[in-house]
Amino acid sequence: MDSSNGERPPQGEDAPAAAAGSIGGYESLHRLLQSNLSPELFKEASRLLLGLNCGRALEAISLPEATSALAKAHNFDVQAFRFDADKEYLRQPQVVRVGLIQNSISIPTTSHFADQKKAIMEKVKPMIDAAGDAGVNILCLQEAWTMPFAFCTREKRWCEFAEPVDGESTQFLQQLAKKYNMVIVSPILERDVNHGEIVWNTAVVIGNHGNIIGIHRKNHIPRVGDFNESTYYMEGNTGHPVFETAYGKIGINICYGRHHPLNWLAFGLNGAEIVFNPSATVGELSEPMWPIEARNAAISNSYFVGSINRVGTEVFPNPFTSGDGKPQHADFGHFYGSSHFSAPDASCTPSLSRYRDGLMISDMDLNLCRQIKDKWGFRMTARYDTYASLLSEYLKPDFKPQVIVDPLINKSA
């Protein structure tokens, strides 16, 4: 199963040299297995790794020539798959086409900030055009897409990239949203001009008419490794909003929130059908978790998840440390891309490239969400009253864990 609609670079032994971030010259684990296993073994490996949708392997979908041409001209990976649902008698299919964009920065971080931002926007525009040409209804960009992920440095000058909700990047995307009749989720560094000009990590939801539907601010801020983000912004104050768009109900679980199951749960309780996880994360820290957490969230909450991660290694002018015992260094590590979709029936797409820019597209029948709720009954069998009681007690200063101790635990044998 290979849905690449653009021209892929040579893989494995055919590659002239292993690209930085590749897996032995391959763009992804899926492509490594496809190139090195027999068709029969690859089919079985794919079943185990990617699951089945309605009892079948995911089907690749063909994209317009204009989309493939843009991918070839601008050297980005493009893949497309379809998630089906069972036929129903009382509801028509609710098929929506959704896209994810991952990208590297364009010019060195030593360049003028205005030039960096302009270069990123110029890089991303052909990818948005490719999504628009392909008829994508909802598109999500990566976390803090307008800038390098400079929050490792603790240098406050990077706050200059922050902008109001209706700032330059939003205006840029509003035109494209209107042109392509597309909802666009734009994660930015927000400058809250009405509240002391403080900074937030924010996703702006732009409607298909070019209007701003609303915003969501990142709920969970990491304090691990080089992720020194609390130097710049704190936990968000927007709750867990779900945005009812022309194409479906969407939520945005920004980056580190994917490590918190209750964060995923809250978007589900508010009725989300698709939850996006725009991220910026590096291989050494989180890659083993990457294919697991979002997929588990899709399963347990009966919605679709779109996972986006930036790509490349961003080198900063001044070396830094993060109090973790490592010597000073000037980069975060490799952002491994690997953006993908997960479905409520436990199926998922292969991942985009670990080192190239990419556009992942999926047709998804939102009827699958309710079908899986009916099949597994997770909402019906959950014990929310019990969980609420425990959490209420846990928040009290005198909370005591419910631990039953063996009265003979210290008795000699």
Side-chain angles (χ1 to χ4, degrees):
M1 174 176 52
D2 186 354
S3 76
S4 179
N5 284 263
E7 185 171 298
R8 285 193 289 148
Q11 301 282 292
E13 295 179 355
D14 294 328
S22 70
I23 307 174
Y26 293 93
E27 291 206 78
S28 65
L29 175 62
H30 180 80
R31 286 169 174 165
L32 183 155
L33 294 175
Q34 186 179 35
S35 297
N36 290 278
L37 295 179
S38 67
E40 294 77 15
L41 281 177
F42 176 68
K43 180 179 179 181
E44 184 64 5
S46 294
R47 181 185 70 80
L48 294 171
L49 291 173
L50 305 179
L52 298 176
N53 169 238
C54 296
R56 303 180 299 275
L58 282 187
E59 291 186 25
I61 54 179
S62 297
L63 297 176
E65 176 58 32
T67 296
S68 300
L70 281 167
K72 182 178 179 180
H74 297 276
N75 189 31
F76 60 83
D77 187 14
V78 59
Q79 299 183 44
F81 298 92
R82 184 176 76 236
F83 292 102
D84 290 320
D86 291 332
K87 180 180 178 180
E88 297 187 18
Y89 293 102
L90 300 180
R91 288 196 302 174
Q92 294 298 312
Q94 301 181 69
V95 179
V96 59
R97 180 163 287 191
V98 186
L100 313 173
I101 287 179
Q102 65 177 43
N103 61 276
S104 59
I105 59 174
S106 296
I107 58 178
T109 60
T110 51
S111 303
H112 192 287
F113 284 2
D115 293 336
Q116 291 188 54
K117 188 173 185 179
K118 179 182 178 183
I120 291 172
M121 293 171 77
E122 288 177 347
K123 168 181 266 203
V124 169
K125 184 178 182 301
M127 302 169 73
I128 299 175
D129 288 334
D133 289 340
V136 166
N137 303 126
I138 307 174
L139 181 68
C140 187
L141 307 181
Q142 66 195 24
E143 182 182 22
W145 72 273
T146 62
M147 62 180 292
F149 207 72
F151 311 120
C152 50
T153 67
R154 296 196 296 271
E155 296 171 351
K156 289 301 183 77
R157 64 197 185 99
W158 300 100
C159 289
E160 288 192 50
F161 278 94
E163 59 182 280
V165 167
D166 59 354
E168 180 185 9
S169 67
T170 298
Q171 293 172 30
F172 165 72
L173 293 175
Q174 283 178 302
Q175 297 301 315
L176 294 167
K178 191 172 183 179
K179 176 180 179 180
Y180 292 116
N181 195 31
M182 178 194 296
V183 173
I184 302 179
V185 179
S186 173
I188 62 169
L189 193 64
E190 177 202 351
R191 175 77 67 182
D192 188 353
V193 295
N194 293 327
H195 296 89
E197 298 197 61
I198 60 175
V199 173
W200 302 95
N201 186 317
T202 300
V204 182
V205 182
I206 301 168
N208 57 307
H209 298 290
N211 56 307
I212 298 174
I213 298 176
I215 65 169
H216 173 56
R217 293 168 174 158
K218 185 172 181 175
N219 276 328
H220 298 278
I221 309 302
R223 294 161 179 83
V224 56
D226 289 331
F227 288 83
N228 300 311
E229 296 173 51
S230 58
T231 302
Y232 301 87
Y233 43 79
M234 297 301 287
E235 285 75 13
N237 59 359
T238 53
H240 299 84
V242 168
F243 302 91
E244 185 168 4
T245 74
Y247 305 112
K249 297 177 181 178
I250 65 173
I252 306 104
N253 184 2
I254 302 174
C255 198
Y256 194 70
R258 73 180 178 278
H259 305 306
H260 295 269
L262 292 181
N263 206 43
W264 290 110
L265 172 66
F267 291 110
L269 295 180
N270 280 329
E273 296 168 310
I274 308 167
V275 176
F276 296 101
N277 179 225
S279 300
T281 186
V282 292
E284 180 182 356
L285 182 69
S286 66
E287 194 162 15
M289 305 176 184
W290 184 250
I292 299 171
E293 290 172 306
R295 191 176 184 183
N296 183 66
I299 296 167
S300 59
N301 294 289
S302 303
Y303 51 49
F304 290 92
V305 175
S307 303
I308 315 102
N309 186 26
R310 65 175 57 206
V311 288
T313 301
E314 302 173 356
V315 180
F316 295 95
N318 302 314
F320 53 88
T321 60
S322 297
D324 55 5
K326 294 182 180 179
Q328 66 175 3
H329 46 288
D331 67 84
F332 225 134
H334 178 71
F335 294 102
Y336 52 84
S338 305
S339 302
H340 63 280
F341 284 108
S342 305
D345 65 355
S347 62
C348 64
T349 67
S351 297
L352 288 176
S353 173
R354 285 190 87 255
Y355 62 88
R356 279 202 301 155
D357 298 345
L359 168 64
M360 175 66 80
I361 295 174
S362 173
D363 285 350
M364 49 185 69
D365 188 341
L366 300 182
N367 283 354
L368 186 64
C369 299
R370 193 168 80 181
Q371 290 176 10
I372 296 302
K373 288 178 182 177
D374 289 346
K375 177 178 180 178
W376 284 97
F378 292 148
R379 286 285 181 265
M380 179 180 65
T381 57
R383 300 293 304 279
Y384 298 120
D385 54 344
T386 302
Y387 312 149
S389 177
L390 174 60
L391 289 170
S392 178
E393 291 299 314
Y394 180 75
L395 291 174
K396 296 177 181 178
D398 61 349
F399 170 75
K400 290 182 174 54
Q402 185 182 5
V403 178
I404 300 173
V405 179
D406 180 354
L408 302 181
I409 194 170
N410 295 316
K411 182 177 180 180
S412 318

Short mmCIF file of all heavy atoms in Angstrom, two decimals, residues 11 34 68 70 76 86 152 154 190 196 201-202 211 246 274 290 297 309 336 363 367 386 397:
data_model
loop_
_atom_site.label_atom_id
_atom_site.label_comp_id
_atom_site.label_asym_id
_atom_site.label_seq_id
_atom_site.Cartn_x
_atom_site.Cartn_y
_atom_site.Cartn_z
N GLN A 11 15.03 5.49 -2.43
CA GLN A 11 14.95 4.98 -1.06
C GLN A 11 16.00 3.90 -0.83
O GLN A 11 16.40 3.20 -1.77
CB GLN A 11 13.56 4.40 -0.79
CG GLN A 11 12.42 5.39 -0.96
CD GLN A 11 12.27 6.33 0.19
OE1 GLN A 11 11.90 5.93 1.29
NE2 GLN A 11 12.59 7.59 -0.04
N GLN A 34 8.04 -1.90 3.25
CA GLN A 34 7.52 -2.15 1.92
C GLN A 34 8.63 -2.55 0.94
O GLN A 34 8.44 -3.39 0.07
CB GLN A 34 6.79 -0.91 1.41
CG GLN A 34 6.08 -1.11 0.07
CD GLN A 34 5.36 0.16 -0.34
OE1 GLN A 34 5.83 1.27 -0.10
NE2 GLN A 34 4.20 -0.01 -0.95
N SER A 68 -0.15 16.70 -7.32
CA SER A 68 1.08 15.93 -7.51
C SER A 68 2.18 16.79 -8.12
O SER A 68 3.36 16.67 -7.77
CB SER A 68 0.81 14.71 -8.38
OG SER A 68 -0.16 13.87 -7.78
N LEU A 70 2.60 20.05 -7.80
CA LEU A 70 3.13 20.95 -6.78
C LEU A 70 4.06 20.21 -5.83
O LEU A 70 5.10 20.73 -5.43
CB LEU A 70 1.98 21.60 -6.00
CG LEU A 70 1.28 22.76 -6.69
CD1 LEU A 70 -0.03 23.10 -5.97
CD2 LEU A 70 2.18 23.99 -6.74
N PHE A 76 7.88 18.03 -1.69
CA PHE A 76 7.26 17.60 -0.44
C PHE A 76 6.52 16.29 -0.65
O PHE A 76 6.03 15.98 -1.73
CB PHE A 76 6.35 18.68 0.17
CG PHE A 76 5.19 19.14 -0.65
CD1 PHE A 76 3.99 18.43 -0.66
CD2 PHE A 76 5.26 20.31 -1.39
CE1 PHE A 76 2.90 18.86 -1.40
CE2 PHE A 76 4.17 20.76 -2.13
CZ PHE A 76 3.00 20.04 -2.13
N ASP A 86 -19.37 1.80 7.82
CA ASP A 86 -20.39 0.88 7.31
C ASP A 86 -21.59 1.67 6.77
O ASP A 86 -21.90 2.78 7.24
CB ASP A 86 -20.87 -0.05 8.42
CG ASP A 86 -19.79 -1.04 8.84
OD1 ASP A 86 -18.94 -1.38 7.99
OD2 ASP A 86 -19.79 -1.46 10.01
N CYS A 152 13.46 26.44 23.27
CA CYS A 152 14.55 25.79 23.99
C CYS A 152 15.57 26.80 24.50
O CYS A 152 16.27 26.57 25.49
CB CYS A 152 15.26 24.79 23.08
SG CYS A 152 15.73 25.47 21.47
N ARG A 154 15.35 29.93 25.72
CA ARG A 154 14.98 30.81 26.84
C ARG A 154 15.28 32.28 26.54
O ARG A 154 15.21 33.12 27.44
CB ARG A 154 15.61 30.38 28.16
CG ARG A 154 15.16 29.02 28.65
CD ARG A 154 15.50 28.80 30.12
NE ARG A 154 16.92 28.79 30.35
CZ ARG A 154 17.69 27.71 30.29
NH1 ARG A 154 17.14 26.54 30.04
NH2 ARG A 154 18.98 27.78 30.51
N GLU A 190 0.71 33.62 20.04
CA GLU A 190 -0.25 34.72 20.10
C GLU A 190 0.20 35.82 21.05
O GLU A 190 0.67 35.56 22.16
CB GLU A 190 -1.62 34.20 20.57
CG GLU A 190 -2.67 35.30 20.71
CD GLU A 190 -3.81 34.93 21.65
OE1 GLU A 190 -3.89 33.75 22.07
OE2 GLU A 190 -4.61 35.82 21.97
N GLY A 196 -2.55 42.90 28.60
CA GLY A 196 -1.16 43.14 28.97
C GLY A 196 -0.14 42.64 27.97
O GLY A 196 1.04 42.53 28.30
N ASN A 201 0.41 30.15 23.51
CA ASN A 201 0.54 29.19 22.41
C ASN A 201 -0.89 28.86 21.98
O ASN A 201 -1.62 28.19 22.70
CB ASN A 201 1.27 27.93 22.90
CG ASN A 201 1.57 26.95 21.79
OD1 ASN A 201 0.74 26.70 20.94
ND2 ASN A 201 2.74 26.35 21.83
N THR A 202 -1.26 29.31 20.80
CA THR A 202 -2.68 29.38 20.42
C THR A 202 -2.93 28.79 19.04
O THR A 202 -2.10 28.92 18.14
CB THR A 202 -3.13 30.86 20.43
OG1 THR A 202 -2.97 31.39 21.75
CG2 THR A 202 -4.59 31.02 20.00
N ASN A 211 -13.57 33.75 7.80
CA ASN A 211 -13.86 34.33 9.11
C ASN A 211 -13.08 33.62 10.20
O ASN A 211 -12.68 32.47 10.05
CB ASN A 211 -15.35 34.24 9.40
CG ASN A 211 -15.87 32.81 9.32
OD1 ASN A 211 -15.65 32.13 8.30
ND2 ASN A 211 -16.53 32.32 10.36
N ALA A 246 -18.34 24.04 9.03
CA ALA A 246 -19.20 23.59 7.94
C ALA A 246 -19.00 22.12 7.62
O ALA A 246 -19.86 21.50 6.98
CB ALA A 246 -18.93 24.44 6.69
N ILE A 274 -13.28 15.17 15.11
CA ILE A 274 -11.87 15.17 14.70
C ILE A 274 -11.11 16.03 15.69
O ILE A 274 -11.53 17.15 16.00
CB ILE A 274 -11.68 15.75 13.28
CG1 ILE A 274 -12.60 15.08 12.27
CG2 ILE A 274 -10.22 15.63 12.85
CD1 ILE A 274 -12.68 15.83 10.94
N TRP A 290 5.00 8.41 19.81
CA TRP A 290 4.28 9.11 18.73
C TRP A 290 3.19 8.26 18.06
O TRP A 290 2.07 8.73 17.88
CB TRP A 290 5.28 9.64 17.72
CG TRP A 290 4.69 10.45 16.61
CD1 TRP A 290 4.61 10.10 15.29
CD2 TRP A 290 4.11 11.75 16.70
NE1 TRP A 290 4.02 11.10 14.56
CE2 TRP A 290 3.70 12.13 15.40
CE3 TRP A 290 3.89 12.64 17.75
CZ2 TRP A 290 3.09 13.34 15.12
CZ3 TRP A 290 3.27 13.85 17.48
CH2 TRP A 290 2.88 14.20 16.19
N ALA A 297 -5.96 7.61 21.77
CA ALA A 297 -6.99 8.63 22.00
C ALA A 297 -8.15 8.46 21.03
O ALA A 297 -9.32 8.59 21.40
CB ALA A 297 -6.39 10.02 21.88
N ASN A 309 3.68 16.90 13.08
CA ASN A 309 4.96 17.23 13.70
C ASN A 309 5.85 17.91 12.66
O ASN A 309 5.87 17.49 11.51
CB ASN A 309 5.65 15.97 14.23
CG ASN A 309 6.92 16.27 15.00
OD1 ASN A 309 7.08 17.35 15.57
ND2 ASN A 309 7.83 15.32 15.03
N TYR A 336 11.02 14.91 13.80
CA TYR A 336 10.94 13.73 12.94
C TYR A 336 9.67 13.64 12.09
O TYR A 336 9.38 12.58 11.53
CB TYR A 336 11.09 12.45 13.76
CG TYR A 336 10.15 12.33 14.95
CD1 TYR A 336 8.86 11.85 14.80
CD2 TYR A 336 10.57 12.69 16.22
CE1 TYR A 336 8.00 11.74 15.88
CE2 TYR A 336 9.72 12.58 17.32
CZ TYR A 336 8.44 12.12 17.14
OH TYR A 336 7.61 12.00 18.22
N ASP A 363 -9.75 11.13 3.31
CA ASP A 363 -11.20 11.16 3.32
C ASP A 363 -11.66 10.34 4.50
O ASP A 363 -11.20 9.21 4.69
CB ASP A 363 -11.77 10.56 2.03
CG ASP A 363 -11.62 11.47 0.83
OD1 ASP A 363 -11.25 12.64 1.02
OD2 ASP A 363 -11.86 11.00 -0.30
N ASN A 367 -19.47 9.16 10.06
CA ASN A 367 -20.41 8.18 10.62
C ASN A 367 -19.70 7.12 11.44
O ASN A 367 -20.29 6.49 12.33
CB ASN A 367 -21.21 7.50 9.51
CG ASN A 367 -22.31 8.39 8.97
OD1 ASN A 367 -22.58 9.48 9.48
ND2 ASN A 367 -22.98 7.92 7.91
N THR A 386 -17.77 7.81 39.26
CA THR A 386 -16.69 7.31 40.10
C THR A 386 -15.41 8.10 39.88
O THR A 386 -14.72 8.46 40.85
CB THR A 386 -16.43 5.82 39.79
OG1 THR A 386 -17.64 5.09 40.01
CG2 THR A 386 -15.33 5.26 40.67
N PRO A 397 -6.50 18.83 50.21
CA PRO A 397 -5.19 18.72 50.86
C PRO A 397 -5.02 17.47 51.72
O PRO A 397 -3.91 16.96 51.89
CB PRO A 397 -5.11 19.99 51.72
CG PRO A 397 -6.07 20.94 51.10
CD PRO A 397 -7.17 20.10 50.53
#
